Amino acid sequence: MYLATKQLTKQFGGLHAVNEVDFTVEKGKINAIIGPNGAGKSTFFNLISGVHKPSSGQVIFKNVDISNLPSNKIAKLGVARTFQTTNLFEKSTVFENVIVGHRLRTNSNLFDAIFRTKRLQQEEERSKEKALEVLDFVGLTKSAERVVANISQEEKKRVAFALALATNPEIVFLDEPTAGVNPDETEELSSLIVKMKERGITVCLIEHKMQMIMEMADKIMVLNYGKKIAEGTPNEINNNEQVIEAYLGRSASA
Amino acid sequence: MPKKFEKYIVIFFIVLAIIFPLITQNDYYIHIMTLAFIWSIAVYGLNLLAGYTGYLSLAHAGFFAIGAYAVGLLTVKIEMGFWVAFILAPIITAVIGFFIGIISLRTKEHYFAIYTLCVGYVIYLIIDKWDSLTEGVRGLMGIPAPANIGPISFTTPLSQYYLVLAILLLVIFIIYRIINSLVGRTFIAIRNSEPLALSLGISTIKNKLLSFVLSTFFAGLAGALYASFVRFLGPDIASTAITFDLLMYLIVGGIGTLFGPIVGTTLIVWISQNLQFLQDYRMLIFGPLLTILIIFAPRGIMGIIGDWKVKSSEKKRNKEAQKSQSELKKEA
Amino acid sequence: MEILIQQLFNGLTIGSIYSLVALGLTLVYGILHIPNFAHGAIYMIGGYITLTMMTYVGVNYWISIAVSIIVVGVLSVLMERLVFHPLRNTIIINNKIAAIGILLFLEALAQLIWGADFRQMSSPYNQVLNLFGVTFTVQRLLIIVAAIVVMVLLYLFLKKTFIGRTIIAMSQNREGAFLVGINANKVAMLTFFVAGALAAIAASLTSPINLVFPGMGHLVILKAFVIIIIGGMGSIPGAILGGYLLGFTESIGATYISGDYKDIIAFILLIIILTIKPNGIFAKGEH
Ligand SMILES: Nc1ncnc2c1ncn2[C@@H]1O[C@H](COP(=O)(O)OP(=O)(O)OP(=O)(O)O)[C@@H](O)[C@H]1O
Ligand SMILES: [Mg+2]
């Protein structure tokens, strides 16, 4: 088992945002989580990445219980994530934004900074190289020196990917990576996600765009009101009664 | 604008600061400038925390006062040697800052601002009321001027000016090194978004504490200089009014910019000098100025210059892009 | 025993003032999530307007208070329109700095107009009463009663009128309120008016037993912040209870511990509370 949740539960007051979810992420695959708005998908990610502590249940990563580790420690283990809303530093350039992504793999401290030690210089060099490398990977080499405020939504999504990749992750969690971008751009972002998988990075993503999920996912889990209602290949999910009902039921009442 | 050009500007201002006393030949102006430099050092501390890390501490004058009173009490009450006291003062401030930081940084945003405002007030109240130690409102007198170092003495305004200038330049240099390193980038990442920074594996707790301690260290250093320069201390230096002054210097010069603190502080201190007749009413102008700046130019003078640079480079990029496009068309 | 009762009575008086100021602060916080550092200056202006109306214009105490309510209420609304409204989408640090700018301006303005000295406001209710061994002026009794009346009126306004209910709705859920077509601008302005009015009332009530001076808002506003943190930022009952609680604690602390350090009680209280619960006592959920 690579990464798994066991009876994972999160309560906010009386609300069970995530309710006893068992899920296994397949290594080297694209794992997708779908579900109606408010189903608890983002909360599920937040539990795995340590933003929230679970009310009960566990998150196991490579046989280690990471349920109660803080986010930054989890990131160090090689678990990266992006957020539903990109929160980049708008006034800075793309390149400047991405450099800090490699910070967790460096050790320079205040002393190094003030005296500009060899270690700092080497690590800065390495962070910059890493930034260039991941920007190249996401196809933003040309925009590296542009200010984030001036780039498109789709480019911002790419910067967020680049940041996550700069942490040297072995698994990435992408929360609605294509929200708010047009169909053509969605296509391009999708192929970028596939490219990540080809690089050997395990991908786990939340998406609302069904067609895209069906095309690229190896495995899908469906959440509804915090509960896992289905899990399987795209084909299995497509024909699952409960899933159809969850989606139709909600959209009919909405 | 080429980097080289910026370097020349910086060198120009350093030279200007060095020859300034020779130009004015006026002890009073030298005195004012020395004070402005001392305040700048404190503002640099505030900038590191509020400007680069995003945490607005309203206890800054309190830490300034701790540094000042540390020098005052150590030299006057214990009769410690000046330089030992002077070196101990910022360290003591930073240690106190460390403990206050551990607790206050558990809070965020508004809570942090209110918390530190209260911490600042408590520091003020302690200095004011604990008069068996601090002499309270009577004030602490008889603080010695910096002791001679070998043949160099610091008794004249001129020598004090150069002492403070040297320390200020060192502070700016250290801050420059910090903010342009991975450490500074880490601070900025926290200011930008703590959840994002955490998700990138950054320990926000450690780094915020580091920033807080550094900021109190510089406040303490400025306080120590103030004590040995003014040589009389009253509880008022810990008051929120001073914190607000420091904040104003920072906002006018440019919060989150390297030269904002020195630009804002010297500018406002000089303007205030020339508005002597306004004295108590200077806030009639500076209060609204602060508010208007925050609305229309939140990153102050240096921010305006910075934005202008960004825009002109964007323009250049666009032009180049157009050019290369039209060239492509020509080829086709 | 008598001392205790006397102190409880004094605590009730101070607490009434704290509650009124904290109420304004918490209302504004609930709607706009702004900790309005300028609220203390608004309070101070309220004191001066009443003083001026009484001593220079020569109208009676109640009319002076009414004028003060209107002037300060309008001032408060202007502040919202000119400063906080344009800043609603910037980073949070900016709101606080802008508020500090206003605070500095208003204090300098007060000093320019009225001078820096401490002023005494005479009240028509200076008679001394003696009841159950407790000595007090009618003014103190007036403070207590008036504060309760104001709170009841505020309660009725918030619960029984449409616009009042809107304020509550908005403070509970900003986005939701937008959805049902509430005019957020109007609500914000009204909230600021009410907050200003409450501050003006508090200052006018307390001035006869304290003094009027440019810095009179400093401590009050700091304590009001402490109160709303104790009571839960944005919570109305919390502000009222917290106000009285702090009033009692201070008044008893002043007698039994030290008069010198009574002002520190609030801050020590706050520091203890935030040390244990960094998000306030009544923090909802987690973030
Ligand atoms: N920090 C929080 N405090 C309280 N409730 C929360 C918190 N975060 C999420 N919730 C609630 O938990 C539920 C699940 O929210 P979540 O954001 O996980 O849904 P989602 O599946 O990601 O929805 P969407 O598709 O809209 O992004 C919602 O009802 C939400 O209101
Ligand atoms: Mg979500």
Side-chain angles (χ1 to χ4, degrees):
Chain A
M1 238 176 351
Y2 185 54
L3 188 147
T5 64
K6 292 193 172 146
Q7 293 291 299
L8 196 63
T9 301
K10 180 69 188 179
Q11 266 181 282
F12 292 115
L15 173 82
H16 284 80
V18 171
N19 202 349
E20 300 180 341
V21 174
D22 286 311
F23 183 59
T24 311
V25 175
E26 304 275 337
K27 187 170 183 184
K29 300 270 169 64
I30 294 181
N31 304 261
I33 297 169
I34 60 172
N37 287 110
K41 306 179 296 292
S42 296
T43 308
F44 185 70
F45 269 25
N46 286 339
L47 289 171
I48 293 175
S49 61
V51 173
H52 293 319
K53 300 270 161 283
S55 307
S56 63
Q58 291 168 310
V59 182
I60 313 282
F61 179 55
K62 296 201 285 192
N63 297 321
V64 181
D65 185 347
I66 59 166
S67 319
N68 287 307
L69 287 185
S71 300
N72 58 312
K73 295 250 167 74
I74 292 175
K76 276 198 180 149
L77 295 176
V79 181
R81 70 165 294 175
T82 63
F83 292 84
Q84 196 164 343
T85 47
T86 54
N87 37 14
L88 302 165
F89 183 35
E90 300 269 329
K91 298 232 152 164
S92 205
T93 64
V94 168
F95 182 61
E96 299 276 326
N97 260 279
V98 177
I99 291 176
V100 81
H102 203 57
R103 176 65 169 133
L104 78 174
R105 306 288 172 216
T106 63
N107 298 307
S108 296
N109 54 28
L110 182 68
F111 178 87
D112 295 297
I114 294 175
F115 295 97
R116 257 198 101 62
T117 59
K118 208 163 204 166
R119 171 162 83 171
L120 181 94
Q121 293 182 24
Q122 282 168 354
E123 289 186 345
E124 276 185 354
E125 204 44 50
R126 227 172 62 215
S127 301
K128 284 178 183 166
E129 276 165 20
K130 188 79 205 176
L132 289 177
E133 178 197 319
V134 292
L135 284 175
D136 178 53
F137 183 83
V138 302
L140 279 179
T141 307
K142 276 203 170 148
S143 304
E145 291 307 321
R146 296 191 62 194
V147 175
V148 170
N150 297 335
I151 64 177
S152 72
Q153 183 61 28
E154 187 250 2
E155 286 169 312
K156 283 181 191 171
K157 295 271 181 189
R158 285 173 188 267
V159 180
F161 286 1
L163 250 177
L165 292 174
T167 64
N168 282 357
E170 46 181 281
I171 177 166
V172 290
F173 287 82
L174 311 171
D175 195 343
E176 304 203 12
T178 71
V181 303
N182 69 37
D184 282 350
E185 294 168 341
T186 302
E187 196 89 347
E188 283 172 24
L189 287 176
S190 301
S191 54
L192 183 54
I193 293 168
V194 173
K195 196 167 133 197
M196 285 185 203
K197 168 179 138 176
E198 283 162 0
R199 268 289 173 93
I201 298 170
T202 305
V203 177
C204 190
L205 63 102
I206 294 174
E207 237 341 309
H208 283 294
K209 293 176 180 163
M210 278 308 165
Q211 196 196 344
M212 164 190 168
I213 292 292
M214 293 301 162
E215 277 168 18
M216 66 193 276
D218 298 299
K219 175 182 183 176
I220 298 175
M221 167 170 80
V222 188
L223 285 180
N224 194 22
Y225 294 114
K227 282 244 178 224
K228 177 172 92 176
I229 58 168
E231 180 177 354
T233 62
N235 232 333
E236 288 163 359
I237 296 299
N238 234 342
N239 301 317
N240 185 306
E241 288 288 322
Q242 256 186 307
V243 176
I244 294 166
E245 195 178 317
Y247 273 88
L248 290 182
R250 287 245 186 149
S251 54
S253 67
Chain B
M1 214 179 339
K3 273 258 151 60
K4 230 183 186 171
F5 185 61
E6 274 169 43
K7 213 178 208 169
Y8 288 138
I9 293 180
V10 171
I11 291 172
F12 169 77
F13 276 107
I14 293 176
V15 171
L16 191 66
I18 292 172
I19 59 169
F20 169 78
L22 310 175
I23 303 171
T24 63
Q25 301 272 347
N26 179 329
D27 273 359
Y28 179 70
Y29 287 161
I30 295 174
H31 174 96
I32 295 298
M33 208 54 174
T34 310
L35 261 182
F37 287 167
I38 291 174
W39 291 125
S40 305
I41 293 172
V43 178
Y44 269 104
L46 188 61
N47 193 26
L48 207 52
L49 185 62
Y52 286 98
T53 322
Y55 273 71
L56 179 62
S57 166
L58 296 176
H60 211 61
F63 291 109
F64 178 86
I66 290 176
Y69 270 91
V71 165
L73 294 174
L74 289 176
T75 54
V76 174
K77 301 251 157 155
I78 312 183
E79 296 184 2
M80 191 182 270
F82 175 84
W83 289 107
V84 182
F86 182 81
I87 289 166
L88 276 179
I91 296 174
I92 292 171
T93 315
V95 169
I96 295 175
F98 174 80
F99 288 107
I100 293 178
I102 285 182
I103 303 167
S104 61
L105 286 167
R106 284 158 45 90
T107 64
K108 282 204 176 85
E109 300 172 2
H110 313 316
Y111 288 106
F112 181 80
I114 296 167
Y115 192 102
T116 48
L117 190 61
C118 290
V119 167
Y121 194 75
V122 169
I123 295 173
Y124 165 78
L125 223 53
I126 290 174
I127 294 175
D128 188 59
K129 300 279 190 234
W130 191 356
D131 44 12
S132 60
L133 178 74
T134 64
E135 305 295 330
V137 280
R138 286 190 304 278
L140 188 64
M141 276 173 283
I143 301 164
N148 295 358
I149 303 179
I152 317 166
S153 87
F154 297 101
T155 43
T156 63
L158 193 68
S159 56
Q160 284 172 348
Y161 174 87
Y162 284 119
L163 173 68
V164 172
L165 177 63
I167 293 177
L168 171 68
L169 290 177
L170 185 66
V171 167
I172 298 179
F173 177 71
I174 289 173
I175 300 269
Y176 168 78
R177 279 280 173 90
I178 293 174
I179 60 178
N180 285 297
S181 72
L182 287 172
V183 177
R185 288 182 196 281
T186 314
F187 291 163
I188 295 171
I190 291 173
R191 171 188 70 185
N192 175 43
S193 161
E194 274 189 60
L196 181 62
L198 273 169
S199 83
L200 296 174
I202 290 167
S203 167
T204 50
I205 300 176
K206 252 195 232 158
N207 283 285
K208 285 185 313 193
L209 190 59
L210 177 63
S211 176
F212 191 89
V213 169
L214 279 170
S215 108
T216 57
F217 179 88
F218 289 119
L221 176 63
L225 280 171
Y226 180 89
S228 45
F229 178 67
V230 177
R231 300 169 64 185
F232 166 85
L233 297 174
D236 278 351
I237 56 164
S239 66
T240 44
I242 300 285
T243 297
F244 292 163
D245 272 345
L246 298 176
L247 185 61
M248 187 174 63
Y249 301 155
L250 179 59
I251 299 300
V252 170
I255 186 168
T257 63
L258 178 62
F259 293 109
I262 179 76
V263 170
T265 311
T266 36
L267 197 70
I268 299 288
V269 169
W270 274 108
I271 293 176
S272 305
Q273 272 316 303
N274 291 310
L275 297 179
Q276 275 284 342
F277 62 97
L278 271 176
Q279 269 302 354
D280 294 335
Y281 308 117
R282 62 198 191 98
M283 284 304 168
L284 283 177
I285 296 169
F286 293 137
L289 177 70
L290 190 60
T291 309
I292 289 167
L293 269 177
I294 278 296
I295 297 174
F296 297 105
R299 298 208 315 138
I301 296 170
M302 296 312 287
I304 293 171
I305 296 175
D307 285 350
W308 173 74
K309 267 197 307 197
V310 167
K311 249 183 220 149
S312 67
S313 75
E314 267 304 299
K315 240 187 227 158
K316 215 163 86 191
R317 186 191 322 281
N318 287 346
K319 247 188 214 155
E320 269 164 23
Q322 269 175 2
K323 217 163 135 197
S324 65
Q325 247 175 9
S326 58
E327 267 164 24
L328 274 177
K329 264 185 209 154
K330 253 185 227 160
E331 274 171 38
Chain C
M1 189 61 204
E2 265 167 27
I3 294 184
L4 184 66
I5 296 176
Q6 180 81 51
Q7 289 316 318
L8 285 179
F9 183 82
N10 287 347
L12 201 56
T13 324
I14 314 168
S16 304
I17 301 300
Y18 290 164
S19 293
L20 289 178
V21 179
L23 265 174
L25 209 55
T26 214
L27 277 173
V28 166
Y29 187 84
I31 298 286
L32 296 166
H33 290 264
I34 299 168
N36 186 0
F37 284 111
H39 197 63
I42 288 280
Y43 167 87
M44 175 265 305
I45 298 284
Y48 271 114
I49 300 283
T50 308
L51 179 79
T52 308
M53 290 309 292
M54 287 175 73
T55 49
Y56 296 100
V57 184
V59 294
N60 98 3
Y61 185 50
W62 296 103
I63 296 177
S64 304
I65 295 182
V67 174
S68 180
I69 289 174
I70 292 165
V71 173
V72 173
V74 169
L75 188 66
S76 185
V77 171
L78 276 179
M79 206 159 80
E80 197 277 331
R81 280 292 94 183
L82 297 179
V83 180
F84 294 123
H85 186 70
L87 280 174
R88 68 200 173 286
N89 291 327
T90 57
I91 51 171
I92 40 173
I93 206 173
N94 288 358
N95 275 318
K96 283 172 279 206
I97 296 170
I100 289 170
I102 302 172
L103 160 88
L104 296 173
F105 169 72
L106 288 178
E107 278 183 20
L109 186 69
Q111 200 169 331
L112 178 72
I113 301 176
W114 293 291
D117 359 319
F118 292 63
R119 301 289 196 89
Q120 186 97 45
M121 186 194 286
S122 59
S123 148
Y125 305 102
N126 273 331
Q127 308 84 329
V128 177
L129 289 184
N130 201 314
L131 260 180
F132 313 116
V134 181
T135 315
F136 53 86
T137 58
V138 178
Q139 180 69 29
R140 279 179 184 268
L141 193 64
L142 180 71
I143 291 176
I144 296 169
V145 176
I148 293 171
V149 170
V150 169
M151 286 175 204
V152 169
L153 287 176
L154 182 69
Y155 175 84
L156 292 176
F157 167 70
L158 290 175
K159 288 277 160 172
K160 304 286 172 196
T161 67
F162 175 72
I163 189 90
R165 282 202 298 267
T166 321
I167 291 182
I168 300 285
M170 237 180 97
S171 77
Q172 276 157 0
N173 182 353
R174 218 184 143 93
E175 272 101 63
F178 278 124
L179 288 182
V180 293
I182 288 169
N183 184 336
N185 280 336
K186 248 193 211 158
V187 174
M189 283 160 69
L190 191 73
T191 308
F192 265 85
F193 185 89
V194 171
L198 289 169
I201 294 169
S204 310
L205 285 172
T206 191
S207 290
I209 59 168
N210 285 306
L211 293 164
V212 182
F213 58 100
M216 69 187 267
H218 289 174
L219 265 181
V220 176
I221 182 71
L222 268 182
K223 288 176 184 172
F225 271 124
V226 174
I227 291 162
I228 69 169
I229 284 179
I230 294 174
M233 304 269 266
S235 156
I236 292 170
I240 296 173
L241 281 179
Y244 286 119
L245 197 75
L246 184 63
F248 288 133
T249 319
E250 272 191 18
S251 138
I252 288 167
T255 344
Y256 295 100
I257 305 171
S258 151
D260 259 2
Y261 286 97
K262 93 170 158 35
D263 286 333
I264 224 168
I265 292 174
F267 309 115
I268 301 293
L269 212 62
L270 175 92
I271 289 173
I272 293 170
I273 287 168
L274 282 187
T275 304
I276 302 166
K277 300 217 70 175
N279 298 319
I281 296 187
F282 298 107
K284 291 174 208 138
E286 60 176 282
H287 290 275

